[in-house]
Amino acid sequence: MGIRTSIMNFLGLSKPNPRMFRRGYTGAMVSRLTSDWMSTQASADAEIRGNLRRLRDRSREMVRNNPYARQAKRTTQINVIGTGIKLQSQVLQLRGNRRDNRINNEIEQKWSYWTRPNACDCSGRYSFHDFEWLASGAMCESGEALFRIVRRAFGESKVPLALQMIESDLLDESYSGDTQKKGNEWRNGVEVDEWGRPVRYAILTRHPGDTFFQGSPVPDRKHVFLPADDVIHLFMPERPGQNRGVPWFHSVMADAHQLQGYEEAAVIRARAGASIMGFITNNEGELIADDVENSERISEFSPGTFKYLSPGESVTVPDIDSPDQQFEMFVKNKVRRFASGFGCSYETLSRDFSDTNYSSSRLSLLEDREHWRVVQKYLIDNLHNRVFREWLNLAVLSGYCDFPDYELRPERYLSPRWMPRGWSWVDPLKEVKAYREAEQAGYMTKQQIIAYSGGDFDDNVSELAREQKIAADAGVKLDKDLDLTDEDVQLSLLESEDPQPARRKRSKK
């Protein structure tokens, strides 16, 4: 190294070594090929604040008018909620490890009564199942769902508790007023403390888009500030420190918009090609046709019409061949991108199973179900357990439920099991046999197997006992009560796969 190079290095004037850049990340390099790649260093809340309202509006427009977005929201609600997430109380007896059926039945019956619309909803319109359905749809379409906990009795409820669902537009992301404590700050309508824990929510008293109706329930107040203990804010975060949710369509909106425009153009082109019948030239130069108004021609096409031309005019008809061979391929590619960005399979989103077989269908369905289970667990952890804890606390305090040891041992009562919806098997025979072998090998239990299909082991056992009692009283033997040897069981399973060898083996026997 020469003197000049040493001085330049000391002064920081030396040119960077090109080899250093070759060892870096190519994704961070700026070149003529990446100069249009826009990126920011903003936080999650900063990125959300300037885009949340438009993302919500466009997402709702897509659900209204785009069939793929509508199907995406519908399949989310059907697969996550279905007919509802059922409560199963798990209170154990103080002595032994057996369930206390008396207490469990009482909790489940009174919870079922409270979940009716007249009791659990402040407006008396929605049942708790309706709240589950709306919450899963709102998380998908709007990015988040909000519930206000109101600790008073409504309707015929004997528990001083009800829920009010609040649309996410009412959580004012632009609010920046005074805080309750020094060190707190408002972030997109949520006041958080120094640890990022929510303290208050700034809720608008009137929907910002509700412009068609006059009057306001609270004319002198624009906001209602709700403490965090009274709010259930549901959204699935994507980055640490995120305080608001974004619609699940945010990464596929551009593709969906382009696809919709492409399909509209293809339909218009096809209609134009199918509508043109012929053209007529009038040598006198008079405009005589049904499509002339005030001596001006109205250019439009409709099936079975002939268009009139002025003298000297000629027509060049383009070769309209639409939809062409690329149409189906282009649409499928865009729908696959849509499904991938949203988080479900192409078959589920498009309802197109023409190019699938058993293996590919099963693989895509299992992948979808894992996604739905994640959403189910999030709702159970953040909605169901929260509401159940509030309900049972107030039910005991109000005397509606009489549990003397509840104050000393609340954890005995506050650990229920929630039974979300399950799914039927793709190929029942194959999967039942696989689960049977997994159970015999000790890899799974009957409870786990039944739960996969959305059932409850305790309910199954109770129902089986009831059926056996009825059959015994009538002197009837059911299939499961017949005394079959191990060889008979094996032959029965073999017959279901290949009848001929099984019949020959049974005839020899």
Side-chain angles (χ1 to χ4, degrees):
M1 182 182 297
I3 298 177
R4 181 175 179 276
T5 303
S6 301
I7 296 175
M8 294 290 287
N9 290 339
F10 178 78
L11 297 176
L13 300 177
S14 59
K15 295 181 179 181
N17 189 353
R19 295 181 179 178
M20 295 177 61
F21 289 95
R22 296 194 190 111
R23 297 175 182 174
Y25 294 97
T26 56
M29 291 184 178
V30 178
S31 65
R32 61 183 181 85
L33 300 178
T34 61
S35 59
D36 61 342
W37 191 340
M38 305 299 294
S39 60
T40 65
Q41 198 179 5
S43 66
D45 286 342
E47 289 181 346
I48 291 172
R49 178 165 185 170
N51 300 283
L52 181 57
R53 186 170 300 178
R54 183 170 294 176
L55 285 174
R56 278 199 308 255
D57 294 343
R58 290 182 175 179
S59 176
R60 290 169 182 163
E61 190 278 333
M62 287 174 56
V63 172
R64 288 194 301 268
N65 301 313
N66 188 302
Y68 303 114
R70 183 70 187 93
Q71 167 63 12
K73 178 184 177 181
R74 180 170 53 241
T75 194
T76 299
Q77 293 174 303
I78 291 174
N79 284 280
V80 173
I81 302 301
T83 57
I85 299 178
K86 180 183 176 183
L87 169 71
Q88 185 185 79
S89 182
Q90 297 288 310
V91 179
L92 301 178
Q93 296 178 354
L94 293 177
R95 295 182 180 179
N97 196 31
R98 300 179 60 185
R99 293 179 57 189
D100 194 324
N101 292 328
R102 182 189 66 82
I103 295 179
N104 291 327
N105 291 336
E106 179 183 354
I107 291 176
E108 291 173 6
Q109 290 174 1
K110 292 183 176 180
W111 168 262
S112 176
Y113 181 81
W114 178 81
T115 57
R116 299 174 182 177
N118 195 36
C120 72
D121 180 21
C122 295
S123 65
R125 297 178 180 176
Y126 306 117
S127 66
F128 192 74
H129 173 252
D130 296 331
F131 281 147
E132 295 172 326
W133 184 269
L134 290 171
S136 60
M139 290 174 59
C140 164
E141 183 179 17
S142 303
E144 54 192 355
L146 283 167
F147 290 93
R148 179 181 182 180
I149 300 175
V150 181
R151 295 176 179 86
R152 53 165 291 191
F154 286 82
E156 300 177 356
S157 175
K158 297 181 181 179
V159 179
L161 178 69
L163 299 176
Q164 179 190 17
M165 191 167 187
I166 302 173
E167 198 164 32
S168 58
D169 303 62
L170 293 170
L171 182 53
D172 189 2
E173 67 270 10
S174 62
Y175 183 80
S176 58
D178 297 333
T179 59
Q180 280 189 335
K181 182 181 177 182
K182 186 177 179 181
N184 292 2
E185 61 176 338
W186 285 100
R187 301 184 70 86
N188 294 339
V190 183
E191 182 182 355
V192 297
D193 61 14
E194 58 181 331
W195 302 104
R197 183 181 289 268
V199 177
R200 287 191 303 169
Y201 291 81
I203 307 296
L204 293 168
T205 58
R206 192 163 186 82
H207 195 288
D210 197 6
T211 59
F212 297 99
F213 304 96
Q214 300 295 325
S216 174
V218 188
D220 297 331
R221 298 178 62 189
K222 186 177 180 181
H223 294 89
V224 173
F225 299 97
L226 301 179
D229 292 339
D230 294 346
V231 176
I232 301 175
H233 188 193
L234 302 174
F235 69 93
M236 301 191 72
E238 299 180 357
R239 293 177 59 183
Q242 183 176 335
N243 286 284
R244 297 294 298 270
V246 294
W248 295 359
F249 299 111
H250 64 86
S251 63
V252 298
M253 285 183 177
D255 272 356
H257 181 68
Q258 298 297 333
L259 175 60
Q260 186 174 2
Y262 175 77
E263 290 180 335
E264 289 177 356
V267 169
I268 293 173
R269 184 181 179 187
R271 288 185 60 185
S275 299
I276 295 175
M277 297 295 294
F279 298 90
I280 300 174
T281 302
N282 184 3
N283 294 328
E284 296 180 359
E286 296 180 359
L287 294 175
I288 50 174
D290 295 337
D291 56 354
V292 176
E293 294 182 5
N294 299 326
S295 299
E296 294 183 359
R297 191 179 305 280
I298 308 299
S299 298
E300 62 180 10
F301 294 103
S302 59
T305 61
F306 288 81
K307 312 297 291 186
Y308 285 84
L309 301 178
S310 299
E313 292 182 343
S314 61
V315 175
T316 301
V317 180
D319 183 14
I320 299 178
D321 182 16
S322 181
D324 54 18
Q325 297 179 353
Q326 301 297 323
F327 178 81
E328 184 177 0
M329 184 183 301
F330 180 83
V331 171
K332 279 189 174 182
N333 179 61
K334 284 294 185 181
V335 175
R336 284 191 175 96
R337 285 172 58 89
F338 191 110
S340 178
F342 180 77
C344 66
S345 62
Y346 165 79
E347 292 79 11
T348 300
L349 189 64
S350 66
R351 316 304 296 166
D352 177 16
F353 297 92
S354 59
D355 297 332
T356 60
N357 51 35
Y358 169 75
S359 299
S360 60
S361 296
R362 187 175 187 275
L363 183 62
S364 62
L365 287 175
L366 291 178
E367 183 71 19
D368 288 348
R369 291 171 183 179
E370 290 303 317
H371 171 66
W372 307 133
R373 287 192 180 97
V374 171
V375 183
Q376 286 175 342
K377 186 178 186 307
Y378 176 84
L379 284 175
I380 289 172
D381 292 342
N382 295 276
L383 175 63
H384 293 76
N385 283 332
R386 172 83 179 276
V387 174
F388 178 75
R389 180 180 293 271
E390 292 278 352
W391 175 82
L392 192 56
N393 286 338
L394 294 174
V396 173
L397 288 175
S398 63
Y400 184 54
C401 293
D402 185 14
F403 303 139
D405 63 332
Y406 181 81
E407 186 175 355
L408 296 176
R409 286 181 285 267
E411 68 281 354
R412 180 186 175 209
Y413 301 88
L414 295 175
S415 300
R417 175 183 295 164
W418 296 95
M419 307 298 295
R421 68 144 293 177
W423 296 272
S424 59
W425 294 301
V426 180
D427 188 330
L429 179 61
K430 292 181 180 179
E431 299 195 24
V432 166
K433 290 175 62 178
Y435 282 131
R436 182 183 180 89
E437 293 182 5
E439 181 197 354
Q440 292 176 346
Y443 300 144
M444 299 184 72
T445 64
K446 290 185 182 295
Q447 169 66 42
Q448 293 172 333
I449 296 172
I450 295 174
Y452 269 107
S453 60
D456 181 8
F457 175 75
D458 295 335
D459 291 345
N460 279 21
V461 172
S462 300
E463 190 66 20
L464 287 172
R466 187 184 68 84
E467 288 180 355
Q468 288 177 343
K469 185 178 185 304
I470 295 175
D473 294 341
V476 177
K477 278 193 173 183
L478 303 177
D479 290 345
K480 58 181 175 297
D481 298 326
L482 297 178
D483 186 15
L484 296 178
T485 63
D486 293 339
E487 186 177 359
D488 291 328
V489 173
Q490 296 297 329
L491 286 174
S492 298
L493 293 175
L494 184 60
E495 280 183 346
S496 62
E497 295 179 353
D498 193 350
Q500 295 300 329
R503 290 173 184 170
R504 290 196 297 268
K505 190 173 183 180
R506 200 179 281 279
S507 62
K508 293 180 180 178
K509 179 182 175 183

